[in-house]
Amino acid sequence: MRLAAMACAGLLATPAGAAERAVTLALPALPLDDALVELSRQAGVDILLSSASVGNRRAPSLRGRYTPGQALQLLLADSGLEFESLEGQGYVVRAGRVTKAAALSDPVVLPELLVVGVRTQNVDQRRDPDGIQPYRVFDRATLRAAQGLSADDFLQTWLTSNSDTHEIVPSRGRGLPPSRSNFSFRDPSALSSTLVLVDGRRMPAVPGIAQLAQADVGPIPLAAIGRIETLGASSGALYGLGAVNGVVNLVIDRNYRGAEVAATVGSGKHGDGGYGRLDARLGYSTADGATALMVRYGQKRFNGVTFGDRNQAAAPLDGAQMKPGQAYNRPPGNGVTLFGLNGPFTVGGVEMLKTYIPADYDGSTPIETVLIANAGRSAPGLAPAHRDGLLTTDSRTDAVLVNLRQRLWRGAEAYFDHIYLASHDAAPLAYGALSTQLTPGQGIATMLSGSSPVELVAPLPYVFGTSDSRLISRRTTVGLVFDLPARWRGGLDYAVGDVRFRQVTQEVGFDEQARPSIASGVAPADGRRAPNPFGDQTQFLADLGQYQSNWAEPAPYGSSRLEDISLRASGPLARLRGRDVTLSLTAQQLWESLPNFPGEPRNHVSMRSRSLFGELRAPLEGLTGVPGLEVQAAARRQVGRIRIFYGGPAGPVEKTADLYLLGTKAEPAPGLTLRMAYASGAQLPEPVMFMSAVGAGISSLIDPKRNPTQPISAEGWFRHAWGGSPDLRPDQMRTYSAGMVLTPRRLPRSRLSVDYTRIEGRDLLVQVYRGYDFYLQNEDRFPGTVIRAPLSEADRAKGYTAGRILEVRDLNENTGSSLIEAVDIAADHDLDLGSGRLAFSAALTWQPTLRRRAPPDNIVSKRTQDGATPEWRGALGARWSNDRIAASATMRYVDAYAVTSLPARTTVDLSFAWKLPAPLDAPQTELRLGVRNLLDRWSLEDPLQRRVEATLIARF
C-alpha cells in the first residue's frame, strides 16, 4: 500500500467530517493512480491505494465542485474498484467485491445508460472532450456558475462554434415563437442541420409549413441540466440523419435528494424589460436506492421593450426621414405628412416638396399657416402605434420534468420520464402607414395648388393588431436496462412525443372606403363621417377608426408527433493485451409526422426511418507500442420513408443513407494527445422539397428542332411541372477534423485544445425555379427536363428532328455544394489564490470559410451568402471561489457581421455568489448577484442593454 499525496499529508491533516466538504476540483484526464494523487492534493484528504489494484487504468477529466466521495465515485465508475471512508480520516481504494475476472478487468466504455442506469437516462455514450472527436463538454458545476437563463443563453456565450449570435432575450423575428431555442453550428442558416437531443434522444420537432423544424428546448431550466455535450461537426454514424453541422445533447440531472427553490429577478438599466425565473425541484429515494422520484418545475418571464423606450431603435425609424412612396414599408411620424409626388405643390403662394401637420393641431390656427411654417419637413418622431411596438415580446416559458426509477431485481431497472415544455409570446403588430393620394384644388385639398399629385401619410399603421404564439412540446419515455451475459448490458426504451403550435394574429386594416373618403371629403352613404386631415387631429384619428376592419383570420394550429423505439446492447467484444475492445449496437425505428400544419389543414406528412448502428472502441496501445493509441469506428445504415398526402408524390418516397465514422488518437508524449477523425452526415429532404405543382405553359420561343417559322405556342399548350421531385437524394456532408490536446504534467490543472474542422457538402438539395423558357433554350444541357412526343413519320418528312413538346419539368435537384473551415481553441487553467481557487477559461473560433453554392442559372441561387457568419468569436472567463463565496467575470466577443452590417461587439458579464451562514439543520441559502452587458452595448438582438439580476436559492 502507498499513501497518495505523501508529500503534503503532514500539512493537510484532515479532521473528522472535513472529508465530506465540497471543494472545487480540476482534474484532467490522467492515469487513474495519478488522478487519485491529484484528487488527494486538491481535496486535502488522504487516499490509500494499491498500485497493483489500480493497474494501467485511466480516469476521465473531472471539473467542478464535489465532495471527495462524489469525486471518487466518478473517477472509479466501471473500473472494478471501490472505495471506503475511513471514518473521516480519508479513503481506501481497493478491488470491488465482484468476481475475480471482473475485479481485475479494465474499465469497459459503455453507453452511460447501460453503465449508470440509477443516475441518468442518457442513451448516448458519455463523450469526453479529450476523446477522438473534438467535443466541447460542460459539466454541472460550470453550468451553475454561469448563471445563464437557459442552455441557449449559456452556449451562445461559451460555445463559439454556435453561429447563432442572438442573445437570449426573446426578440421578434427569431422564430416561432421568439422564445424558442436556436442552435446553428458553423452556419447561421443551419438550424435544420444541427441536431438537438435530450438524454441522447430526439425531441419532437416544431411544425412548419410542410417541414419539421429544430426541436425547442428553450424552456428547460439550465439548473435542470447536469451536462451539455456538443460537437460542431458531422456525426451521422453516431446520431443518425440530421447530425450534419453539429449535435447538442442536454443530459438532465436526476441525481438529487431533498428540495430546492431558486428565484431570479432582473431588469434593464431603464427599469423596463423586467424578467424573472423560478426553479424548484424535489427529489426522493428509498433508503436502499431501489426507488427514486424527482419532480422539477421551471418558469421564465420577460416583459417586452418598446421602440419608444430605446432611442437607438427609434431614431433610424424617425418619421422625419420618410420619403415619398415609403408609406407601405416605413413607420410614419407623429403627424400628417404631405409629399409632392412628381414635383412641388403650393400652399398660400409658397412652393414646397413636403410639409406636415403636428399631432396636437386642434384647428384653431389656419391650416395654411401651419403647412407653410413646416414646409420642407416631414412629421418627426414615431406614430404612437409604432412607438409602442415591441422590440422584444412579452414571453413566458414553463417546464415540468418528472422522473421515476425503480430497481426490479439485481441488474435490472425500469424508468419513466416525462418532459413538458410550454412557451407563450405576445406582441403588438404595426406595419407601414395609411396613405392616400390628393389632387390639388379638388376634394379636401382645395387649399393646395399645382400640377403634382400629393401623397398624404396619416399617423396610423397600414395594418396593426396583435400576435399571440403558443408552443407546447411533450415527450414521455419508458425504458428498461438489464444485465446480459459476458459483462454486456442491454436496454430497451420507447418514447412518444408531440408538439402543438398555434399563432393567432389579429390584424386590423382599413376598408375600401377609407382612402376615397379622405381624399374627397365626402362621407359614405352608411352614415360615417368623412375624416378631415386638415382639421382637428384628434377628431381626424377618431373618424378614421370607423373605417377599420379585421383582416386576418386565426390560423389553424400546427402539430407534430414523434415515436422512437430503440433496442441497445453494449459490452466487451475481445481483449487486447489486457484492455477491452468494446462494441455498442443499436436498432432504432423513428417516426415523425405532421398530422396538421398551419395553412394546409387537409395535408398530412409523415417520415419513418429505421436504422442499425454499431460503434467500436479499440485500445491498441498494447499491440503497437504507441502510447495511448485508440481507434473508434462506427457505421449506421438508415432507411427513411417520406409520405406527403397532398401536393406530393402519389406514393411514399424511400431514401437510404450509409453513414460512417473512423477516428484515432495517440499520446506521443506525456500530456500531449493527437487526434483525427473522418465522419459523414446526411439530411433527408424536407417534405416541402417534394411538394410539386402542375400548370399549363405556353411559349413564344422558336423550337429549333421543329418549325423555325412559328413559335412553340402555335402547337398549343404544354404541361409545366415545378417544385418537388421523387428522385431527390439526401444531403451528403463529410467532416475531416484534426487536433491536439495538451495537459502538461507540470501544470496539472491546465488544458489546451486546438482543433481544425473541415465540413464539405456535396449533392446538396437546391430549391429550383428557372422557368420553362430557360429549359426550352437549354434542352441539351438539362436532359430529361423537356419531354417530347415520339417523332412521327410526318414530322420527319417536314425535316423535324424531335417531336412536339408535351411537358417541361422545373424540379428541385441535388446540385449544391458547401465548404466550412474552422479552427476551435479552448483553454482552462486554475490555481490556488488566497483562501480559494482562481480558474480561467477561454474559447476562440476562427472560421475563415463558409460557402454554400447552387447553380448560378437558378433564380434561388444561394441558400447562404458567402461570409454570412462572424469570422471570429471568442469568450474569456475568470472565477474565484472558496467554500462560501464565488465571483466571476465573462467576456464575449463577436466579430463584425459584414452581410448584415452588424459591428463587432464585446459584452461583459459579472456575477457574485455567497452562501449565507446557517446552522447545520437549517435550510442552506445562497444569494447570487449579476450584471449582464456591463459595457452597455446596444443591439437589436439585446435591447435591454445593461441589466442587473439577483437570485436567491434555498435548499432543504
Side-chain angles (χ1 to χ4, degrees), residues 296-354:
R296 178 183 286 275
Y297 172 73
Q299 182 187 109
K300 296 194 299 285
R301 288 176 179 263
F302 280 91
N303 295 326
V305 177
T306 69
F307 279 89
D309 293 332
R310 291 294 181 267
N311 291 331
Q312 298 94 329
L317 303 176
D318 193 302
Q321 301 179 27
M322 177 177 277
K323 298 179 180 179
Q326 292 185 333
Y328 289 102
N329 57 20
R330 187 174 177 86
N334 191 17
V336 172
T337 299
L338 302 176
F339 293 103
L341 292 179
N342 301 325
F345 58 93
T346 302
V347 179
V350 179
E351 193 175 71
M352 60 191 72
L353 286 172
K354 60 182 177 179

Side-chain angles (χ1 to χ4, degrees), residues 208-260:
I209 302 298
Q211 62 182 352
L212 293 163
Q214 187 183 86
D216 178 26
V217 294
I220 297 179
L222 190 64
I225 301 171
R227 181 180 175 89
I228 300 180
E229 300 172 339
T230 67
L231 178 65
S234 307
S235 196
L238 298 181
Y239 301 102
L241 295 172
V244 176
N245 274 30
V247 179
V248 177
N249 184 24
L250 309 181
V251 181
I252 303 300
D253 178 16
R254 299 183 176 86
N255 188 32
Y256 183 77
R257 296 183 182 182
E260 179 182 276

Side-chain angles (χ1 to χ4, degrees), residues 538-882:
T538 301
Q539 185 64 50
F540 170 61
L541 296 181
D543 292 342
L544 267 181
Q546 302 177 31
Y547 293 81
Q548 295 172 358
S549 61
N550 292 326
W551 280 22
E553 295 294 330
Y557 76 90
S559 63
S560 67
R561 289 185 56 82
L562 167 76
E563 287 187 18
D564 184 0
I565 184 169
S566 301
L567 177 63
R568 297 176 171 85
S570 188
L573 188 64
R575 289 185 67 82
L576 297 176
R577 301 291 180 90
R579 301 292 300 276
D580 283 309
V581 177
T582 61
L583 179 65
S584 297
L585 300 172
T586 299
Q588 180 185 39
Q589 176 171 286
L590 180 69
W591 178 72
E592 295 179 282
S593 71
L594 285 167
N596 179 280
F597 51 86
E600 287 289 350
R602 299 170 295 170
N603 211 340
H604 179 85
V605 174
S606 66
M607 303 172 65
R608 184 184 301 272
S609 67
R610 296 182 176 90
S611 64
L612 294 175
F613 158 69
E615 180 179 2
L616 181 72
R617 303 292 292 268
L620 303 179
E621 179 177 1
L623 290 181
T624 63
V626 178
L629 181 62
E630 183 180 347
V631 172
Q632 177 186 17
R636 180 185 295 264
R637 173 82 173 195
Q638 189 151 1
V639 179
R641 174 174 290 190
I642 303 173
R643 185 168 185 182
I644 302 174
F645 289 81
Y646 176 75
V653 178
E654 189 168 290
K655 302 296 174 183
T656 302
D658 295 314
L659 305 166
Y660 303 98
L661 165 67
L662 180 62
T664 184
K665 72 172 184 176
E667 190 175 349
L672 175 63
T673 299
L674 302 180
R675 58 188 179 187
M676 63 179 64
Y678 163 81
S680 60
Q683 177 74 32
L684 280 178
E686 295 175 347
V688 69
M689 297 292 284
F690 286 112
M691 298 183 70
S692 59
V694 176
I698 190 168
S699 176
S700 60
L701 296 177
I702 299 297
D703 187 349
K705 298 182 179 181
R706 295 182 66 79
N707 191 338
T709 64
Q710 65 180 20
I712 297 174
S713 59
E715 294 188 307
W717 300 85
F718 53 83
R719 189 173 184 266
H720 177 216
W722 69 91
S725 167
D727 299 327
L728 293 175
R729 303 181 301 278
D731 274 347
Q732 297 289 325
M733 308 289 285
R734 53 191 179 192
T735 295
Y736 303 90
S737 63
M740 53 154 279
V741 180
L742 183 62
T743 53
R745 295 291 182 91
R746 294 185 178 182
L747 293 173
R749 288 180 283 177
S750 299
R751 179 187 182 275
L752 172 67
S753 64
V754 181
D755 292 281
Y756 166 76
T757 301
R758 179 185 178 93
I759 306 176
E760 299 177 355
R762 51 190 173 86
D763 293 336
L764 300 184
L765 296 165
V766 175
Q767 192 170 1
V768 172
Y769 189 83
R770 298 185 176 96
Y772 50 75
D773 277 351
F774 175 88
Y775 291 102
L776 294 174
Q777 293 173 316
N778 298 274
E779 181 178 355
D780 294 336
R781 285 180 54 198
F782 297 89
T785 58
V786 178
I787 310 301
R788 295 176 177 269
L791 184 64
S792 65
E793 291 299 328
D795 287 343
R796 285 194 179 92
K798 295 178 182 179
Y800 297 169
T801 58
R804 184 173 65 87
I805 296 173
L806 300 178
E807 181 180 352
V808 178
R809 297 175 178 175
D810 192 4
L811 304 178
N812 300 334
E813 57 194 22
N814 290 89
T815 55
S817 63
S818 68
L819 175 63
I820 297 174
E821 292 181 292
V823 175
D824 297 295
I825 303 173
D828 298 282
H829 176 66
D830 66 88
L831 53 91
D832 296 325
L833 182 65
S835 60
R837 177 154 298 173
L838 180 62
F840 297 97
S841 298
L844 180 68
T845 292
W846 174 47
Q847 186 171 319
T849 307
L850 169 60
R851 290 199 298 267
R852 280 185 175 268
R853 296 293 191 183
D857 48 30
N858 179 23
I859 293 178
V860 188
S861 61
K862 292 185 179 181
R863 295 195 334 197
T864 301
Q865 293 180 327
D866 292 350
T869 186
E871 185 175 348
W872 293 92
R873 296 182 296 274
L876 179 66
R879 185 172 189 265
W880 182 89
S881 62
N882 59 21

